[in-house]
């Protein structure tokens, strides 16, 4: 738990170290998927910054919400109002209790009525003075409180009650928990768990750059004389145009991590467990301890506490020593026998408590670091024990051994969800179980590949083996029994698990009551792909043939259906756009399905309806599925599609389906509107209402799926507040064709609220009664391929083009229509989505910095990675190619590292464990080192191991005893990479060595190393590698420290919190900052309730909150929130993730505003270093960073340094925004100001003139920016003339000249801050009351227009983007 002073609500059930420290989880990879899409937008990275600040990502995401709110059964909250009421209920006011622990003064603790007693326990175990107690009860007036009772249910507990901490007798379990807790306290500053990627620990370096907590240092440093002592010189490698890219600064050394040694050894004694006669004396277990003073002692843990006994290493004597120092806590015992322990333990706890809680709370999923220093391997009893007991008995402190994962996963889904408190509890439980399951599945998958798990079919060959461990079922990603022979063999078997996971994710998001999916995690480890699934009760006892009652087990030869499944799947049909369709079975009978044939329905012994094998949830991608006799549309053909792919499972992404339907919907609306207009013009009679009505009902329903469910008729009043905001957003989102992860809502509703079903009730009848308008709708429906004739409704049949699936004769028309839809969708991807991605990169609304953010930008728009080659070719042919250089370069390095990853995967499968580090280092040498003949070092005992291995041929998947890997050469590897690029991505790389590639595409080896390490899970030693030496290879086997799993899993969402987050953004967008701020604070509380303290989405929330605090003038609060955002981004996404770099930049700005100049500079330098490592200097974002650095340096009067950065920013801005851009004008102005401070007026004039010309051409003479610039030019000219006059005076009269003092002013902090705000896109508009009234009226007017669909495409001007007088282009 966190110290209560921090504003993490006390009721976060998640921060219990007891819960979290136990199961290490991971899968951060996937966590990024949806959440970062959001991060991207709200960062307001200074491009569309004025927009970004105000409308952040409101536009794109409103839609996602609606669907989440619809909770599967159409139950709705009736708009925002009721929500706010509910929230108020949740936050009962807290109160204070007094706590009295033995040996300490009583102290006050703030608690909330929702908390459980257990959470007070957690706080006490974390507090400096009580942290060494674990086995105690809390008593109120002599009554023991129940650990799991909520405080509000306890009689007599009120403000200022006194709770006594009473020591309780130990049990074996309590004694073990105590030892584990003491071990954790001793290790609390030790980063080795973070390096080893265990227990959800991860790295964070912010405190090194801020010298501890920012809040306090802010108060200390406000002396005003601070300017003089700052050392501003950055390290050499950070300066512009430095070619050096060192690795070591990535992990600066933290002085706190030099551990203060409290004990030399603390382990379980070899005398465990106590013999029977000692058990009856209360002995629970024995410990062996060596103190810093080299004293060896043996300790008994007994029911009464810990005491010294008389045993030695070889002699068992359990009698108490004299003195025995019996103490209830191990810490008290050790403090008595070792002075060094007492001193260091106290100091250690002081330091531990000073650390920011976010540096030590566990993350929900494990994050791995791809670099680590050489850490000494110390003795650790708990770690050793964990490794071998596989922790089953200890699993999460749950009595009764192993967890039944399936039961837990499904039961949490069944929790009630009628009101907000219930939904929060449910989402919290779902999230917690998912993160535990991901952690357990990852450990299991590693154990399977490392050979620590016995197969359930041990007789079969290795590839076919299946495993069960800890109630999780594991299978390997190989084509077993030719199951996928038709579909592409092993390649298909490798792709199927991720497709299946996407299906699970999609069905999980729709969340239909009564329909269950399996817990699914996909783990890539040591070249193998392992799928981990929870087990359907009873499935292991029956044959598959008997249990499948829906779907097909042989890809459509035999097919069965089931009415209950049809009813359940029908509910998912609209949100997932899956069409009900008939197929023929082996007897030529019709069978109706509402999913692909592979999707199987099995009723478990628990009576639940499960669906599995969801690999074809989404329709096939025809661009990569050549079918005889089918022609693709010309847009696809021009680009060389269809292309042969490795397997036949290439599906379209859900985001693409969403974007396509959204796009068709706009077409539909335009066509219908046009035709109705024409009709209206033809006969302007009593039907004049019609167009307005159709459009209103459509538009409101479109973006408000949740409201339409209950109130279709009242399409105006009740849903108005939501409707206005969201209609606007979803349509603008559509127009940019940007769709977020699961915004299934704007479509489910747009997908036919005028469905015949609703029309029966006469709600939407009126417009369609007239045959003319009915015909209009019919024509529009036909034109866009809707499956219904009376409303817009597009769905896909996922079985089209599946080999082995046959359709009945009478649905031939339907099938033809569906084929056409698929072709259109494939063409839409290449003709709309790819160009729109490139356009977004050109206008900098999408700014990928590395492989992960590039992948995300593609996925957001529904573009699969297999199109990467096509995207790069498209960029290559774009006229503005030079402004896309950064994108092209990131794309090439992503393509190359992905090809290398494919090769590495098969390369690793042939390596036996003892040669793993040698093989990995050899591969990296071939990939990155300029050394032409990299020779592999075979491990010395190669011969011995060969002979031994003969017998155990098929024991472990990695047991092959082959040394083929050693023969790989750099030229061969690069040849393979080029051919992989051609065959997989259809992209030609003409290079046969790493140096040619680096030269030709302007890549960096350090970036390639980072990308390949992250993708394959390699962890390397952090040191300087000499890649370019031609005499020796860059890597040795000692440099490879570890190989981690790469994990994909589902990320459950906090829907209500998300809803508040969006409403908050919408409010901010309309200019109601205060209300927006309150809503976002509320969202933060709810996020904390669901996710615990650490999560990517909380990070986005904190960042936005900080930005609002800053705009509203509360700098200290902005600093505190942004500090948390940075820490969280480091911990959850990684220390050099592009999002973390952005967070560092924001934090630097707020530091500067708070007068902490040196800290601001350190943070900016850190951001620049990380950015150089991740994507090199040539990137548009670097211009913003360098302008920031230049301005701060200008403020501290380091003019020459400042110029280096500002001139670099000018160069980059000119390159990426074009020489006529307003950004470039601003850059010229900043450079001119520095020259003015240096009194070099000629240069200053030159730059300001450039800026003036741009303003004049772009904005006209009258614009105030142009006027400002012209004023400044006049001033500079005067200064220049005055200076010249003075110089002449000196020449003429020598030393007795009367010199006019010149005004050389250092820039004021205020002026520097003003410029910083401008470049970071934060604009303060002084508005009078009257202006505000006008603005509000304007916003309302627009929204009313919007209601009636008059504004066709609001994307070009959202209601109010706090526009400054100068648009920052």
């Amino acid at each position: 738990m966190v110290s209560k002073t921090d504003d993490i609500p006390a009721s976060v059930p998640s921060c219990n170290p007891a819960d979290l420290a136990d199961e290490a989880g991971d899968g951060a990879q996937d966590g990024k998927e949806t959440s970062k899409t959001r991060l991207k937008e709200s960062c307001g990275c200074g491009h569309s910054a004025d927009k970004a600040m105000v409308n952040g990502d409101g536009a794109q995401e409103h839609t996602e919400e609606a669907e989440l709110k619809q909770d599967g059964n159409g139950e709705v909250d009736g708009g925002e109002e009721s929500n706010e009421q509910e929230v108020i209920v949740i936050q009962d006011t807290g109160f204070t209790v007094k706590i009295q622990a033995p040996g300490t003064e009583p102290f006050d603790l703030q608690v909330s009525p929702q908390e459980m007693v257990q959470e007070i326990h957690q706080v006490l175990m974390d507090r400096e003075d009580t942290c060494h107690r674990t086995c105690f009860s809390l008593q109120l007036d002599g009554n023991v409180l129940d650990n799991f009772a909520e405080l509000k249910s306890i009689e007599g507990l009120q403000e200022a009650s006194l709770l006594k901490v009473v020591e309780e007798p130990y049990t074996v379990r309590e004694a073990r928990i105590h030892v584990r807790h003491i071990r954790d306290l001793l290790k609390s500053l030790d980063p080795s768990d973070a390096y080893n990627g265990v227990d959800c620990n991860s790295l964070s370096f912010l405190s090194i750059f801020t010298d501890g907590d920012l809040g306090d240092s802010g108060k200390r440093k406000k002396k005003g004389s601070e300017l003089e002592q700052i050392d501003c010189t950055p390290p050499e490698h950070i300066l512009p145009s430095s070619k050096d890219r060192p690795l070591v600064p990535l992990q600066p050394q933290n002085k706190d991590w030099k551990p203060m040694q409290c004990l030399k050894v603390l382990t379980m004694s070899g005398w465990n467990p106590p013999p029977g006669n000692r058990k009856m004396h209360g002995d629970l277990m024995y410990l062996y301890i060596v103190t810093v003073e080299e004293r060896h002692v043996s300790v008994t843990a007994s029911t009464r506490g810990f005491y010294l006994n008389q045993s030695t290493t070889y002699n068992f004597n359990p009698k108490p020593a004299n003195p025995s120092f019996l103490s209830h806590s191990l810490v008290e015992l050790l403090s008595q026998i070792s002075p060094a322990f007492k001193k260091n333990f106290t100091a250690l706890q002081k330091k531990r408590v000073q650390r920011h809680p976010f540096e030590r709370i566990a993350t929900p999923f494990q994050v791995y670091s791809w670099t680590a220093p050489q850490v000494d391997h110390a003795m650790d009893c708990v770690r050793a024990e964990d490794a071998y007991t596989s922790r089953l008995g200890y699993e999460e402190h749950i009595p009764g051994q192993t967890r039944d994962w399936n039961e837990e996963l499904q039961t949490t889904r069944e929790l009630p969800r009628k009101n907000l408190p219930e939904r929060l509890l449910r989402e919290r439980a779902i999230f917690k179980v998912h993160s535990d399951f991901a952690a357990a599945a990852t450990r299991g998958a590693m154990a399977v590949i490392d050979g620590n798990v016995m197969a359930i079919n041990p007789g079969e060959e290795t590839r076919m083996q299946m495993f069960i461990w800890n109630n999780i079922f594991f299978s390997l990603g190989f084509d077993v029994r030719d199951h996928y022979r038709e579909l592409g063999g092993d390649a298909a078997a490798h792709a199927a698990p991720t497709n299946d996971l996407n299906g699970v994710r999609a069905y999980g998001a729709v969340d239909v009551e009564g329909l269950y999916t399996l817990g699914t995690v996909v783990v890539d480890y040591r070249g193998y792909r392992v799928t981990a699934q929870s087990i359907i009760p009873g499935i292991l006892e029956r044959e598959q043939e008997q249990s499948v009652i829906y779907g097909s087990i042989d890809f459509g030869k035999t097919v069965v259906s089931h009415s209950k499944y049809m009813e359940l799947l029908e509910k998912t049909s609209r949100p997932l756009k899956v069409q009900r369709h008939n197929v023929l079975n082996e007897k030529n009978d019709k069978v109706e399905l509402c999913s692909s044939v592979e999707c199987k329905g099995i009723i478990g012994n628990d009576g639940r309806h499960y669906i599995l094998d969801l690999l074809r949830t989404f329709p096939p991608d025809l661009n990569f599925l050549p079918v005889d006799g089918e022609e693709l549309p010309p847009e696809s053909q021009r680009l060389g599609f269809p292309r042969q792919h490795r397997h036949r499972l290439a599906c379209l992404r859900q985001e693409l389906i969403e974007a396509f339907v959204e796009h068709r919907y706009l077409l539909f609306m335009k066509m219908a509107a046009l035709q109705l207009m024409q009709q209206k013009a033809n006969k302007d009679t009593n039907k004049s209402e019609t167009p307005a009505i159709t459009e209103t009902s459509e538009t409101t329903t479109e973006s408000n799926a949740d409201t339409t469910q209950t109130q279709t008729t009242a399409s105006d009043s009740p849903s108005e507040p939501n409707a206005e905001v969201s209609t606007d957003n979803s349509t603008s989102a559509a127009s940019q064709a940007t769709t977020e992860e699961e915004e299934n809502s704007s479509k489910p509703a747009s997908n036919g609220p005028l469905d015949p079903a609703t029309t029966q009730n006469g709600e939407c009848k009126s417009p369609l009664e007239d045959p003319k308008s009915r015909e209009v709708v019919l024509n529009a429906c036909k034109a866009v391929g809707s499956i219904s004739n009376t409303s817009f409704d597009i769905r896909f049949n996922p079985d089209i083009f599946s080999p082995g699936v046959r359709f009945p004769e009478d649905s031939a028309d339907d099938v033809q229509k569906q084929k056409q839809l698929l072709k259109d969708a494939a063409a839409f991807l290449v003709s709309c989505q790819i160009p729109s991605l490139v356009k977004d990169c050109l206008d900098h609304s999408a700014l990928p910095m590395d492989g992960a953010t590039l992948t995300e930008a593609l996925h957001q728009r529904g573009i699969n990675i297999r199109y990467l080659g096509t995207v790069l070719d498209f960029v290559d042919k774009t006229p503005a190619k030079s402004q896309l250089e950064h994108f092209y370069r990131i794309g090439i390095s992503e393509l190359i590292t992905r090809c290398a990853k494919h090769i590495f995967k098969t390369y690793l499968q042939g390596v036996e464990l003892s040669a793993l580090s040698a093989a990995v280092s050899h591969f990296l040498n071939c990939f990155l080192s300029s050394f032409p003949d990299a020779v592999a070092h075979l491990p010395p005992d190669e011969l011995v191991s060969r002979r031994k291995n003969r017998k155990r041929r098929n024991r472990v998947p990695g047991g092959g005893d082959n040394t083929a890997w050693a023969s790989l050469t750099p030229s061969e590897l690069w040849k393979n990479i080029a051919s992989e690029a051609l065959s997989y991505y259809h992209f030609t790389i003409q290079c046969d060595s790493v140096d040619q590639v680096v030269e030709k595409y302007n890549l960096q080896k350090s970036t390639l190393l980072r990308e390949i390490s992250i993708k394959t899970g390699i962890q390397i030693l952090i040191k300087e590698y000499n890649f370019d030496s031609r005499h020796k290879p860059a890597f040795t086997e000692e440099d490879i420290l570890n190989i981690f799993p790469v994990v994909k899993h589902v990320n459950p969402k906090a829907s209500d919190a998300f809803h508040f987050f969006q409403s908050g953004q919408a409010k901010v967008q309309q200019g109601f900052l205060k209300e927006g701020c309150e809503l976002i604070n509320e969202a933060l509380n709810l996020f904390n309730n669901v996710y615990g303290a650490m999560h990517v989405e909380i990070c986005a929330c904190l960042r936005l909150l900080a930005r609002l605090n800053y705009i509203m003038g509360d700098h200290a609060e902005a600093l505190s929130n942004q500090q948390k955002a940075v820490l969280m981004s480091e911990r959850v996404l990684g220390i050099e993730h592009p999002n973390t770099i952005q967070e560092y930049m924001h934090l630097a700005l707020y530091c500067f505003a708070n007068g902490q100049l040196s800290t601001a500079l350190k943070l900016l330098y850190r951001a620049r270093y990380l950015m150089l490592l991740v994507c090199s200097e040539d990137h548009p974002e670097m211009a913003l960073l360098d302008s920031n650095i230049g301005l701060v340096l200008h403020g501290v009067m380091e003019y020459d340094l400042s110029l280096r950065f500002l001139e670099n920013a000018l160069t980059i801005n000119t390159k990426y925004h074009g020489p006529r851009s307003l950004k470039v004008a601003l850059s010229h102005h900043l450079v001119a100001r520095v020259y003015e401070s240096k009194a070099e007026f000629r240069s200053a004039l030159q730059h300001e003139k450039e800026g003036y010309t741009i303003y004049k051409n772009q904005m006209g003479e009258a614009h105030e920016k142009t006027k400002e610039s012209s004023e400044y030019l006049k001033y500079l000219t005067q200064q220049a003339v005055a200076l010249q006059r003075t110089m002449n005076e000196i020449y003429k009269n020598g030393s007795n000249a009367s010199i006019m003092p010149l005004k050389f002013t250092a820039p004021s902090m205020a002026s520097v801050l003003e410029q910083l705000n401008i470049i970071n896109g934060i604009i303060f508009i002084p508005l009078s009351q009257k202006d505000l009234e006008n603005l509000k009226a304007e916003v309302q007017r627009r929204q009313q227009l919007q209601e009636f669909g008059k504004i066709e495409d609001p994307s070009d001007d959202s209601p109010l983007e706090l526009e400054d007088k100068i648009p920052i282009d």
Side-chain angles (χ1 to χ4, degrees), residues 606-620:
D606 51 3
R608 294 188 179 109
H609 291 76
Y610 292 92
I611 50 170
L612 53 152
D613 284 352
L614 307 173
L615 52 140
R616 284 252 175 100
T617 303
F618 299 109

Side-chain angles (χ1 to χ4, degrees), residues 30-41:
D30 208 88
K32 299 182 288 214
E33 229 170 84
T34 45
S35 31
K36 275 205 354 287
T37 50
R38 189 164 48 259
L39 299 181
K40 245 330 193 218
E41 264 109 36

Side-chain angles (χ1 to χ4, degrees), residues 44 60 104 145 178 220 239 253 276 306 321 354 387 395 434 542 616 662 769 799 812 834 838 949 1049 1071 1139 1157 1322:
Q60 269 79 330
T104 58
L145 305 185
H178 185 77
R220 277 207 310 279
L239 290 171
Q253 283 312 297
F306 295 82
Q354 280 163 4
E395 204 81 70
H434 266 283
R542 329 176 251 190
R616 284 252 175 100
E662 186 78 58
E769 270 158 8
D799 283 332
I834 292 180
V838 172
N949 254 7
H1049 57 86
N1139 185 67
L1157 308 191
I1322 294 180

Side-chain angles (χ1 to χ4, degrees), residues 779-903:
N779 292 340
C781 284
K782 275 203 178 125
V784 296
S786 164
I787 58 170
S788 143
N789 288 333
T790 48
S791 69
F792 175 82
D793 192 351
I794 286 188
R795 304 185 197 187
F796 292 87
N797 173 346
D799 283 332
I800 303 279
F801 298 127
S802 288
V805 176
R806 299 171 306 140
F807 297 102
E809 289 295 304
D810 56 5
S811 51
D813 275 0
D814 243 4
V815 170
Q816 213 34 57
K817 248 194 200 166
Q818 282 293 336
K819 287 185 176 174
Q820 194 48 48
L821 256 185
L822 284 180
K823 292 175 187 174
D824 292 348
F828 171 75
L829 196 157
V830 291
S831 62
C832 287
Q833 294 303 80
I834 292 180
S836 99
L837 166 73
V838 172
K839 184 188 146 300
D840 287 345
C841 290
L842 267 175
D843 61 25
H844 303 287
S845 52
L847 251 192
M849 264 192 221
D850 68 343
T853 42
L854 174 77
T855 304
E856 211 155 276
L858 266 76
H859 283 173
Q860 260 177 45
R861 291 161 184 79
I863 305 168
N864 310 68
I865 290 294
R866 56 176 173 270
Y867 285 96
L868 188 54
T870 314
V871 172
L872 291 174
D873 285 333
F874 186 87
V875 169
D876 209 15
K877 297 190 179 82
T878 308
K881 184 187 171 196
S882 62
Q883 295 187 21
L884 289 166
E885 225 168 86
H886 64 294
F887 180 84
Y888 192 71
R889 196 181 53 244
I890 294 167
I892 291 279
S893 89
E894 180 70 354
L895 190 139
I896 289 174
T897 41
R898 278 176 183 268
C899 292
K901 179 187 79 173
H902 298 171
I903 296 164

